[in-house]
Amino acid sequence: MHHLLCGLAANPALPSELVDRLVSVADDDIATALARRADLSRAQAVALAERVGGSAVHLAHEGRLTTADIDPAVRPDAALVLLDRGAGRSAWARLLAADPVPGRRQRLAACPGLPSDVVETLATDPDVRVVAALASRTAPDVAARLAEHPHAEVRRAVAANEATPPAVLAALVTGERLPAARRCLVCDREEIPFVHDPHCPRLDCDLPPGASCDGSHASTVHALREAALRNPATPVEAVVGFVDHPSMLLRWTLAARPDLPPQTCARLASDPVPGVRGDLAANPAIGEGLIRRLADDRDSAVRHSLAHHPRIPLDVLTRLARTTGIGATLLPRIAGSSPCEVEELATSPDPAARTLVAQRRDLPPGIRDRLAVDPDVNVVKAIAPHPGLTEPQLRAMGDRHGARVLAKVVSNPGASAALLADLVRRVPTPRRLFREVARHPGATAPALLVCLGDERAKPLAAGHPALPPPVVAELVRDEDRQVAEAAAANPSLPPASMSDLMSHP
């Protein structure tokens, strides 16, 4: 019965009086579904928070509770949600800054717009993770001050903060002009030298795998450098020296920066790690010469990444499309192609080029219609979901190419109800086709009833609002809980059935 009540709680057609009854019996799962209802009244939200205390957090997230509805002394976690959204009160922040639970102070420290006195309190919190949370989101002046904090974990958080002044970030990377850190999370709790076992059996241990310290706080310093490399505010001059660093992770992080100079890009293109070359391949910083060089990379993942470069020449991209499994996706270079380039690709003798441009959904009608009758099945699969195609065009695709294109034909937003009903009766019918029809907004009862015969499509069809109400009412008794819950959430479920589910479990 519980799964049916969860379904009812999500049903947009559930009458208000039944919402009230669900509130009165709600548990955590039902409360989560109720909190997402668009029609939940303020009175119902307040009642739900009283019934299930933990639901106040969900309700605050969904905007169902406001500052007038929350007492931070009673619902501190809900108050933190509003503070994180910038909708809380300053007095709440002052109260929660003294909360005995460190996790709550940590969450408070990451909230925006905290009063200056709360910031100062949190900056001297006895739990270093609270200070680190503050350092990761605080204003430039506070970040600059915390960069000199004696604990390396706080400095790591400062390095990740995009508001940290560039000169401070550069100093963190090099360690120059800053006093040496005295502690880290490793030496706080272990005798050094210490290296954390990646397969540590201790259930109460939360150190990262491989965390280490020999007095130099090695793993935290490494994490600090990685954070600084990811931070776009860190001056590129401070990070290019990591191009030959022995740490694969640091080189990999460096390769993704869009502000790298050409010489650094060229060095990274020879990196022995394919992941480094792959992130570089998609980096807008690389020029045409390096693009053409990486197009011949021995690793297919690198070539796949290169295909997503926004300025890759079309001849290189077409060649990659023939030799690399790019998948059914609209690539940035194709999305940004000019009208002349679109025409060139659509009329190319190479089906790989035509397939690339067929992924666009804004093609001129003439080009769209030409690709719809393309002899290559991959081109037709790519163009089949394009808006504007007529029912005769979609039927013709299925007649010419059969099961290979039917799932794509069905996914077209303009596929008519008659077409969907006809396609699900084809023999043989690809199983994926049933799922596509069951989730299609234009599907009607004849097609959906056929989809109910497929095990994987049945839960989708059971929740489709075009399913006849008597069928939906019967499906709430289905032995498959997923099907029954979907039916209970279906707005076509008769009101009498809704009441019956509430009254007669």
Side-chain angles (χ1 to χ4, degrees):
M1 185 60 190
H2 180 264
H3 62 290
L4 296 179
L5 295 183
C6 286
L8 280 179
N11 193 318
L14 192 69
S16 182
E17 61 270 19
L18 293 186
V19 173
D20 289 337
R21 290 172 62 184
L22 271 178
V23 168
S24 69
V25 299
D27 62 6
D28 287 344
D29 295 331
I30 296 172
T32 298
L34 288 170
R36 297 192 179 107
R37 294 187 62 87
D39 61 349
L40 195 72
S41 69
R42 180 187 175 195
Q44 288 169 333
V46 172
L48 184 60
E50 289 297 321
R51 163 75 187 178
V52 182
S55 70
V57 171
H58 298 290
L59 292 162
H61 270 299
E62 298 296 328
R64 303 298 176 194
L65 295 179
T66 66
T67 54
D69 306 316
I70 294 175
D71 180 349
V74 179
R75 303 274 184 253
D77 294 321
L80 282 167
V81 170
L82 292 188
L83 283 167
D84 188 54
R85 295 174 56 190
R89 295 172 175 167
S90 297
W92 292 5
R94 295 186 178 96
L95 174 69
L96 291 167
D99 193 287
V101 179
R104 291 200 184 110
R105 303 199 306 275
Q106 190 173 343
R107 288 165 56 198
L108 173 67
C111 291
L114 294 173
S116 58
D117 59 314
V118 173
V119 170
E120 293 305 316
T121 298
L122 295 171
T124 57
D125 194 279
D127 191 311
V128 71
R129 298 194 191 208
V130 174
V131 186
L134 176 71
S136 68
R137 297 280 295 273
T138 195
D141 58 329
V142 179
R145 178 155 49 96
L146 291 177
E148 299 188 10
H149 196 279
H151 204 286
E153 184 66 17
V154 175
R155 299 186 184 200
R156 181 205 58 75
V158 173
N161 187 343
E162 294 185 16
T164 301
V168 174
L169 289 167
L172 284 168
V173 170
T174 63
E176 298 174 359
R177 303 190 307 277
L178 290 175
R182 296 198 295 271
R183 306 292 297 173
C184 71
L185 292 178
V186 178
C187 59
D188 276 348
R189 61 187 75 175
E190 304 289 347
E191 291 291 332
I192 59 172
F194 177 83
V195 178
H196 189 222
D197 183 356
H199 307 289
C200 178
R202 294 180 295 177
L203 298 179
D204 61 342
C205 181
D206 60 356
L207 285 176
S212 65
C213 181
D214 60 1
S216 63
H217 322 301
S219 60
T220 309
V221 169
H222 185 278
L224 179 156
R225 288 172 171 169
E226 182 190 354
L229 286 168
R230 292 187 190 281
N231 192 332
T234 304
V236 68
E237 300 81 15
V239 299
V240 292
F242 289 92
V243 68
D244 293 317
H245 196 277
S247 169
M248 171 197 71
L249 186 57
L250 294 184
R251 301 196 311 275
W252 201 329
T253 305
L254 178 66
R257 285 188 64 109
D259 56 355
L260 295 176
Q263 60 270 28
T264 302
C265 293
R267 296 268 289 279
L268 290 169
S270 300
D271 196 280
V273 178
V276 175
R277 304 196 305 275
D279 274 20
L280 178 72
N283 192 328
I286 66 174
E288 182 174 342
L290 210 50
I291 289 174
R292 293 187 178 277
R293 174 180 161 188
L294 288 168
D296 295 321
D297 195 279
R298 62 186 180 275
D299 192 281
S300 62
V302 175
R303 301 194 303 274
H304 184 278
S305 182
L306 183 67
H308 292 77
H309 194 285
R311 294 194 314 279
I312 184 171
L314 288 179
D315 65 303
V316 177
L317 181 54
T318 302
R319 176 160 60 91
L320 289 176
R322 290 196 301 267
T323 61
T324 306
I326 293 175
T329 183
L330 177 61
L331 298 172
R333 179 65 177 85
I334 299 300
S337 296
S338 68
C340 290
E341 290 173 329
V342 168
E343 177 70 29
E344 176 188 342
L345 289 164
T347 57
S348 170
D350 189 343
R354 303 197 302 274
T355 301
L356 287 171
V357 76
Q359 296 290 349
R360 286 182 61 143
R361 297 294 173 255
D362 59 350
L363 294 173
I367 292 178
R368 177 201 63 206
D369 294 345
R370 187 190 317 151
L371 293 173
V373 295
D374 197 282
D376 188 275
V377 67
N378 290 321
V379 177
V380 176
K381 286 171 65 176
I383 198 67
H386 197 294
L389 289 171
T390 65
E391 181 173 335
Q393 287 175 308
L394 295 172
R395 286 186 182 276
M397 292 178 183
D399 292 340
R400 286 198 314 274
H401 299 285
R404 293 178 294 176
V405 302
L406 289 183
K408 292 293 186 180
V409 167
V410 167
S411 69
N412 190 293
S416 69
L419 175 60
L420 298 177
D422 288 348
L423 291 180
V424 293
R425 290 187 175 91
R426 284 200 176 203
V427 179
T429 304
R431 295 195 65 183
R432 180 185 169 192
L433 185 67
F434 293 116
R435 299 193 298 276
E436 291 291 345
V437 171
R439 63 168 61 97
H440 197 289
T444 53
L448 293 168
L449 291 172
V450 177
C451 293
L452 288 174
D454 181 81
E455 181 181 324
R456 296 179 66 184
K458 190 174 183 180
L460 297 170
H464 200 293
L467 204 62
V471 177
V472 180
E474 184 64 31
L475 287 171
V476 296
R477 300 182 179 89
D478 198 276
E479 61 183 15
D480 185 323
R481 292 166 63 95
Q482 188 179 7
V483 172
E485 184 172 346
N490 192 327
S492 292
L493 182 67
S497 296
M498 296 179 186
S499 297
D500 188 57
L501 287 176
M502 289 295 303
S503 304
H504 303 95

